Every structure is written in structure tokens, then in C-alpha cells.
């Protein structure tokens, strides 16, 4: 400290003033030692927090060189501190995303903090991880920025759950809007292959011709038909029998190690020229009456690619596929009945009644499967998915009452808004001219209004006791073709702030309209949200 401390004897001889100085010096030394102990304990406590964190906490300098690495970072990325400290942070970043690091470093040099930046990083074993990053500048004692701390959270499972919910929604939409068997099975095969991460997938299914004779067809995803046509249809071998007879699901990290593999002539294993299959997943497609329609088969050339979650999701999709195939076959049977009996109106009524019954079963099955598959998902996400299915069911009911020929815009809007008007009838205004909507358009408009109303109840003008919603529509022409224009205006709600990123509802609106060559514009004004939607008729 630079303070001279005299002995007690010297202090006594020098008198009271020197004693006081020595007491002060001893006190100063004791306080400094206490401060150092407190600082040590604080630093030790902070280090313990960093090491015990569930999130990866990393520091780097302004050259992008990693300086520190906690235990969670090792668990997430697979590198030990000894392996990674001193190396560029680009080691963790896929090459096609290297420019992100330049952007991050530039922001840090400006003293900016980056919150919840969602991106992709690569682990030591090559796996790609979806992460949320928070990056903060580190300053020295003079306030100069010398580096950054990064907190990385693995959101791969959260993203997977969102994607699976979206896939289930896409499957339910496909099977509720199409009764063509070939298109339905191709859509189901494509979506299921994407959902489980397979290299390729196939749906082998039985069909009946007009003479009542059964034969087998198939749809493929991720491979050309030439890859299968030269091999012939699969037979009820020891391995395939489980699927084609509906006995159970087969999931293997390496099917070559399965004791049932390679037991049947003439190939005794993988036929020459067959696509390479190591990971294998096969799920039977079983009708509600217990008959087996066929099976979904998936392969990957790497081991251990199909997880238990993927198996559960494919089982749910297989159940929906069975309902869709039932519906398509019912539709085909009804068409044949029309031809045979020459009674178009009677057969049409029969078809519509059966479809109405099947659609209810379909939507009920989708809801039940989604509830079971995502029982661990957040409650709000499950409620939102259920509400979407119920909105779709209400739109189907309106179409059924008019023999699925059309629906009026007024009835469609009233049905879509009905669940949100309990106690708010005087706060929701619906107005516009008479407009006839074809079935697909009515379903689309119903889902769009459901998403807007849900947002208004959660965050907008219907979330308080005084806000209002004014929905008006009109007919117009664009490029010589009729269009429906919807104006959605909210007022009197809480302050509106444009979100930093789009939620699932906003993405659903944009994608749905884009698929029909429509458009959506959302304005987040201080007085409330304004939405302008264009729907081709």
C-alpha cells in the first residue's frame, strides 16, 4: 500500500497522534484485504455460474479468436476447451454463413448488442445445430471494446416441433382439399420423407380396378421411378410382412444387422442396383376398418437417422394417409356409382354426405394425433393448432350445407369470427356485398380470418374491453379476373409494435395467399393493425 507502519513501542513513544496513524493504516490494510476477498468470491461465484449454465457461453476477441469455453459449450459442440480455445470462431460456422461473423464483429465494434439471433452452427461431428445467439461487447477498464461474449442456446428441438406441427397442418390441408388418390399419396409421401429426414421414401399401396381386381401402385420421394421399376414390387418377405400385414412398425439404425434381413431368395439382402439403405423405417397404413392399405417406407444411407420422435410423427401421418385414402376410394366408388346408375344427382348427394362424414373423421383424427404426438409441446401451441382445426371444421360445415358448391362471403366471415365474438358482438363489424366463393376459396378465407382474429384477441384490439374490429370486403378486377379484397382494421387496442420477426400465423397467411396468387399487406399503425388481403376468385 505504500504506508509505513511503526511498532507499538515506537508509536507509544511518539505519542497519541502516531498511534492514531497506525490504527488507520491497519484498518486500511484490513479493508483492502477484505475487498480482495470479496472480489475473489464474486469472481469465483461468477465462474461457477458460467460453468453450470445450460447455455453455451463463449468469449472471443475482435479478431474472432475464441478466448473462453464453458462446459455447456463442450456438450453442445463437442469440442473441449483445450481443442477450441485459441482457434477462430469460424470453426463453428458453416462456410456458407461465414459472412455472418463479419456482420457480428462490425456491430460489436460499434458497441452494439445482438439479441436472440437465430442461425445455424456446426458441431465437431459435423451435425448442424439451430441456435439462438446473444452477443454482447466486452470492454476493458478504459471502456475500450476488446472482444465479445456469446450465449448460444440450442433451439433445434423447438424448431423441430414447429416444423412437425407445420407438416401435420400441411398434411391435413392436403387430405381435406383433394380426393384424387394419386395426388394425395404423392403429397403424403413427399411430406413424410421431409418430416423424418429420409434420403428417400415410398408409399406402396393396394388399389382396386373397376372389375374388383386388386393390384399395387407406389409413390416415391427423393428418388427416380427408374430406381425402383427394374427391381419389381416388394414381396411379403420376413421383413416386409410386418408392414404389409399391418403387424407393426419397423425402425432400425442399421437394417443390415436385423436378424430378419437377407433371408429370402433370390437376392438374400439388397438387390443389385438398389438404393443404399442403412437406416430403415417402415410404417403400415391401416384403414379405420382394420384393412391394410399399404405401407410407408423410408431409407437413409447413414446409420441411426430415424429417431423415436420421427417414428411417432410418421405414425401420425400414416393414420392421416389412411383416412385420405379412404376418402379418395370413397370418392372413386361414388364416381363409378354415378356412371353405373346414371343417376347423377342421387349419387352426388350420396357422395357429399359421405364426404361430410369422412371430413369430420379426418379432422378429428388430425386433432387427436396432433394432441397425442405433441403432448409435451407448450399449451399455447397446442391450443392454437386445435383452434385452427376447429376453424377448418366450421368452414367445412358451411360448405356442406350448400352441397359443397359454394359459400357466401358473409356466411364464411360470420362463421370464422363467431368463436371470437362471445361478449364482443358490438365490437366486431362485418360488411360487404354479396359474393359467392368456391369451396377452396371459402376454406382459405376462413383460415385467414381465423389467424387475424386470433392475433387480435392475443395482442390487438380484442385483447381489452374497448377495442374494435372492422372487416369490410368488396369485389374488384385485376388483369381482367375477379378478385376479393378484404380490409381488416383494428382500433382502440393496446399500442401496436411491428414484431421483429414473423410468427407462424403471419407466415401461414402469406404462404396460403401466395399459393393462390393472392397477396397480403400488414400495417402496424399506432392506432391498430390494418390488413389488406387480395384473394383471387
Amino acid at each position: 500500500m505504500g504506508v509505513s507502519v511503526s511498532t507499538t513501542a515506537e508509536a507509544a513513544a511518539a505519542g497519541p497522534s502516531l498511534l492514531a496513524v497506525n490504527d488507520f493504516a491497519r484498518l486500511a490494510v484490513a479493508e483492502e484485504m477484505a475487498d480482495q476477498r470479496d472480489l475473489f468470491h464474486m469472481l469465483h461465484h461468477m465462474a461457477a455460474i458460467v460453468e453450470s449454465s445450460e447455455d453455451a457461453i463463449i468469449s472471443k476477441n475482435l479478431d474472432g479468436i475464441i478466448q473462453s469455453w464453458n462446459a455447456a459449450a463442450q456438450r453442445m459442440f463437442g469440442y473441449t476447451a483445450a481443442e477450441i480455445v485459441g482457434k477462430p470462431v469460424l470453426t463453428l460456422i458453416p462456410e456458407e454463413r461465414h459472412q455472418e461473423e463479419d456482420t457480428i464483429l462490425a456491430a460489436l465494434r460499434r458497441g452494439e448488442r445482438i439479441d436472440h439471433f437465430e442461425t445455424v452452427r456446426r458441431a465437431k461431428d459435423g451435425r448442424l445445430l439451430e441456435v439462438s445467439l446473444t452477443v454482447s461487447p466486452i470492454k476493458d477498464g478504459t471502456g475500450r471494446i476488446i472482444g465479445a461474449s456469446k450465449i448460444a442456446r440450442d433451439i433445434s428441438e423447438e424448431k423441430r416441433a414447429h416444423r412437425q406441427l407445420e407438416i401435420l397442418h400441411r398434411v391435413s390441408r392436403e387430405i381435406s382439399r383433394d380426393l384424387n388418390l394419386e395426388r394425395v399419396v404423392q403429397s403424403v409421401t413427399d411430406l413424410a420423407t421431409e418430416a423424418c429426414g429420409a434420403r428417400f421414401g415410398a408409399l406402396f399401396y393396394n388399389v382396386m380396378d373397376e372389375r374388383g381386381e386388386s393390384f399395387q401402385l407406389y409413390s416415391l420421394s427423393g428418388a427416380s421411378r427408374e430406381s425402383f421399376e427394374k427391381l419389381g414390387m416388394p414381396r411379403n418377405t420376413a421383413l416386409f410382412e410386418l408392414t404389409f400385414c399391418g403387424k407393426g412398425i419397423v425402425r432400425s439404425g442399421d437394417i443390415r444387422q436385423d436378424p430378419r434381413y437377407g433371408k429370402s431368395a433370390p437376392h438374400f439382402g439388397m438387390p443389385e442396383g438398389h438404393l443404399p439403405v442403412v437406416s430403415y423405417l417402415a410404417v403400415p397404413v391401416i384403414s379405420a376398418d382394420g384393412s391394410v392399405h399399404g405401407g410407408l417406407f423410408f431409407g437413409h444411407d447413414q446409420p441411426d437417422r430415424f429417431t423415436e420422435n420421427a417414428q411417432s410423427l410418421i405414425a401420425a401421418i400414416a393414420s392421416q394417409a389412411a383416412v385420405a385414402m379412404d376418402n379418395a376410394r370413397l370418392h372413386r366408388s361414388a364416381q363409378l356409382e354415378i356412371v353405373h346408375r346414371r343417376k347423377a344427382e342421387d349419387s352426388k348427394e350420396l357422395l357429399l354426405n359421405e364426404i361430410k362424414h369422412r371430413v369430420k373423421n379426418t379432422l378429428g383424427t388430425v386433432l387427436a394425433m396432433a394432441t397425442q404426438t405433441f403432448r409435451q409441446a407448450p399449451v399455447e401451441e397446442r391450443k392454437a393448432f386445435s383452434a385452427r382445426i376447429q376453424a377448418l371444421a366450421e368452414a367445412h360445415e358451411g360448405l356442406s350445407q350448400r352441397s359443397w358448391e359454394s359459400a357466401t362471403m358473409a356466411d364464411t366471415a360470420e362463421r370464422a369470427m363467431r368463436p371470437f365474438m362471445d361478449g364482443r358482438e358490438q365490437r366486431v363489424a362485418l360488411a360487404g356485398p354479396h359474393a359467392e366463393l368456391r369451396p377452396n376459396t371459402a376454406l382459405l378465407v376462413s383460415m385467414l380470418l381465423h389467424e387475424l382474429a386470433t392475433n387480435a384477441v392475443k395482442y390487438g384490439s380484442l385483447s381489452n374491453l374497448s377495442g374494435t374490429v372492422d372487416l369490410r370486403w368488396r369485389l374488384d378486377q385485376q388483369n381482367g379476373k375477379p378478385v376479393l379484397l378484404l380490409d381488416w382494421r383494428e382500433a382502440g387496442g393496446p399500442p401496436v409494435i411491428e414484431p421483429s420477426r414473423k410468427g407462424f400465423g403471419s407466415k401461414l397467411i402469406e404462404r396460403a395467399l401466395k399459393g393462390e396468387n393472392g397477396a397480403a399487406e400488414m400495417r402496424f399503425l399506432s392506432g391498430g393493425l390494418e390488413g389488406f388481403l387480395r384473394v383471387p376468385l
Side-chain angles (χ1 to χ4, degrees):
M1 285 180 54
V3 178
S4 176
V5 182
S6 303
T7 65
T8 303
E10 291 171 342
S17 61
L18 185 55
L19 283 171
V21 170
N22 282 339
D23 288 341
F24 176 76
R26 291 189 188 95
L27 179 61
V29 171
E31 289 180 347
E32 182 172 335
M33 293 178 65
D35 288 343
Q36 290 176 347
R37 285 195 300 272
D38 289 344
L39 178 60
F40 173 79
H41 289 313
M42 182 181 70
L43 293 175
H44 180 73
H45 182 63
M46 290 178 63
I49 292 175
V50 170
E51 279 304 302
S52 62
S53 173
E54 293 296 319
D55 295 329
I57 302 178
I58 307 165
S59 66
K60 64 180 181 181
N61 61 23
L62 290 181
D63 293 323
I65 303 301
I66 296 172
Q67 304 290 300
S68 66
W69 186 263
N70 73 340
Q74 178 174 334
R75 291 192 298 271
M76 185 181 298
F77 295 103
Y79 294 98
T80 64
E83 290 175 317
I84 198 67
V85 170
K87 292 187 177 180
V89 75
L90 291 177
T91 306
L92 308 175
I93 304 176
E95 186 175 350
E96 66 273 12
R97 292 179 176 267
H98 279 189
Q99 75 280 359
E100 291 180 0
E101 180 64 9
D102 296 334
T103 303
I104 291 173
L105 289 173
L108 290 170
R109 292 188 177 98
R110 296 192 298 268
E112 298 175 2
R113 171 187 168 96
I114 299 171
D115 285 315
H116 306 301
F117 172 58
E118 293 187 3
T119 184
V120 175
R121 294 295 181 256
R122 190 185 302 278
K124 181 180 178 181
D125 61 7
R127 287 178 300 114
L128 295 179
L129 306 174
E130 295 182 272
V131 299
S132 174
L133 294 180
T134 297
V135 188
S136 303
I138 297 176
K139 300 179 181 179
D140 63 13
T142 66
R144 183 170 61 93
I145 297 172
I146 59 174
S149 67
K150 284 189 175 184
I151 300 177
R153 173 165 295 178
D154 187 350
I155 57 173
S156 300
E157 284 301 306
E158 177 185 339
K159 289 292 187 180
R160 180 192 60 78
H162 278 296
R163 283 193 292 270
Q164 290 186 347
L165 277 171
E166 186 173 356
I167 287 170
L168 277 179
H169 171 73
R170 288 163 62 190
V171 171
S172 67
R173 183 177 61 188
E174 290 294 333
I175 66 177
S176 66
R177 66 191 291 179
D178 200 344
L179 292 172
N180 180 279
L181 181 60
E182 288 74 18
R183 288 197 299 265
V184 166
V185 297
Q186 187 62 59
S187 296
V188 168
T189 306
D190 291 339
L191 291 170
T193 303
E194 174 189 346
C196 69
R199 289 281 192 198
F200 49 86
L203 197 168
F204 289 87
Y205 60 101
N206 303 313
V207 295
M208 197 84 68
D209 63 17
E210 295 183 9
R211 295 169 295 184
E213 297 177 355
S214 178
F215 60 100
Q216 194 173 65
L217 295 176
Y218 63 92
S219 61
L220 292 174
S221 183
S224 65
R225 297 192 71 85
E226 291 77 10
S227 303
F228 276 76
E229 286 174 348
K230 59 185 178 182
L231 301 174
M233 290 292 180
R235 297 171 293 115
N236 280 349
T237 60
L239 195 57
F240 287 143
E241 180 187 15
L242 295 171
T243 306
F244 285 126
C245 293
K247 295 180 178 180
I249 295 173
V250 179
R251 177 168 63 94
S252 174
D254 188 344
I255 195 58
R256 299 168 299 181
Q257 306 303 318
D258 191 290
R260 295 161 295 192
Y261 176 82
K263 302 297 184 184
S264 301
H267 303 294
F268 297 102
M270 207 76 67
E272 183 179 352
H274 195 285
L275 292 168
V277 178
V278 180
S279 295
Y280 176 81
L281 176 62
V283 180
V285 178
I286 305 175
S287 175
D289 63 8
S291 61
V292 180
H293 286 313
L296 281 162
F297 298 85
F298 305 95
H300 200 289
D301 56 7
Q302 298 298 317
D304 301 316
R305 290 293 175 168
F306 301 132
T307 64
E308 187 174 345
N309 284 330
Q311 175 180 319
S312 298
L313 178 61
I314 296 303
I317 292 176
S319 297
Q320 297 181 48
V323 176
M325 295 171 78
D326 280 339
N327 288 346
R329 290 178 174 181
L330 177 67
H331 177 58
R332 176 60 178 161
S333 297
Q335 287 181 323
L336 292 175
E337 184 69 16
I338 292 171
V339 172
H340 292 158
R341 297 173 59 188
R342 303 294 183 181
K343 295 180 179 179
E345 288 301 321
D346 290 344
S347 296
K348 178 182 178 182
E349 189 67 24
L350 172 64
L351 172 64
L352 290 173
N353 287 336
E354 288 292 337
I355 288 177
K356 177 181 177 181
H357 174 70
R358 291 291 186 172
V359 164
K360 287 185 177 180
N361 287 344
T362 297
L363 297 176
T365 300
V366 170
L367 187 58
M369 287 297 171
T371 301
Q372 177 68 16
T373 303
F374 298 101
R375 58 187 182 278
Q376 301 299 329
V379 174
E380 288 301 315
E381 291 186 8
R382 297 203 306 270
K383 287 183 177 178
F385 186 82
S386 298
R388 290 186 178 106
I389 294 296
Q390 290 164 1
L392 190 60
E394 185 62 28
H396 275 274
E397 181 66 23
L399 286 166
S400 296
Q401 292 181 4
R402 300 191 69 188
S403 300
W404 273 81
E405 293 180 353
S406 66
T408 68
M409 177 58 203
D411 183 63
T412 301
E414 195 278 331
R415 287 177 179 275
M417 296 299 296
R418 187 184 298 162
F420 307 94
M421 294 174 65
D422 186 18
R424 305 185 183 98
E425 292 84 353
Q426 305 304 316
R427 297 163 55 193
V428 178
L430 309 174
H434 176 78
E436 291 285 338
L437 309 180
R438 55 191 172 91
N440 280 357
T441 303
L443 293 175
L444 173 62
V445 170
S446 178
M447 295 304 295
L448 296 177
L449 295 181
H450 173 81
E451 295 300 327
L452 289 170
T454 299
N455 185 73
V457 169
K458 285 185 175 180
Y459 315 109
S461 60
L462 298 183
S463 65
N464 60 17
L465 299 177
S466 58
T468 61
V469 168
D470 187 11
L471 170 64
R472 298 182 182 275
W473 61 87
R474 64 186 187 279
L475 299 174
D476 203 349
Q477 293 280 327
Q478 184 175 19
N479 299 325
K481 297 181 179 180
V483 294
L484 176 68
L485 302 179
L486 303 175
D487 291 351
W488 175 281
R489 300 176 188 269
E490 299 181 25
V496 174
I497 301 175
E498 184 171 357
S500 59
R501 57 181 180 178
K502 295 178 180 178
F504 180 80
S506 299
K507 292 178 181 178
L508 178 62
I509 291 174
E510 286 187 359
R511 292 174 183 175
L513 284 172
K514 184 177 181 181
E516 298 292 338
N517 296 319
E521 179 185 1
M522 299 296 169
R523 299 176 183 174
F524 297 87
L525 307 179
S526 59
L529 173 69
E530 291 185 1
F532 305 93
L533 311 180
R534 186 182 77 248
V535 183
L537 295 177

